Amino acid sequence: MPRYEYRCRTCGDTFEVSRPMAESSAPAACPSGHDDTVKLLSAVAVGGTSAAPATGAAGGGGGCCGGGCCG
């Protein structure tokens, strides 16, 4: 179950709430009982391995034409 981070505007405490994604935007009261809270934007780090980036003329690479040259 995802964890969402909140900050209480009344006391300044930061706390986390575990809840389903369907309830991610529901309000959350702080542990001290205050209702004036705001959900924080959390950075997510994803670990693991990935394939090496493609190189050469046929490789992707973004750009305006998906890796091609746009004169």
Side-chain angles (χ1 to χ4, degrees), residues 45-53:
V46 178
T49 60
S50 63

Side-chain angles (χ1 to χ4, degrees), residues 3 12 14 19-20 26 33 35 37-38 54 70:
R3 297 179 65 105
T14 301
R19 56 173 50 162
D35 291 325
T37 61
V38 61
C70 299

Side-chain angles (χ1 to χ4, degrees), residues 12-57:
D13 284 346
T14 301
F15 60 98
E16 293 182 350
V17 176
S18 294
R19 56 173 50 162
M21 291 176 70
E23 297 175 16
S24 66
S25 59
C30 98
S32 299
H34 306 121
D35 291 325
D36 190 13
T37 61
V38 61
K39 187 169 109 175
L40 301 176
L41 179 62
S42 300
V44 177
V46 178
T49 60
S50 63
T55 59

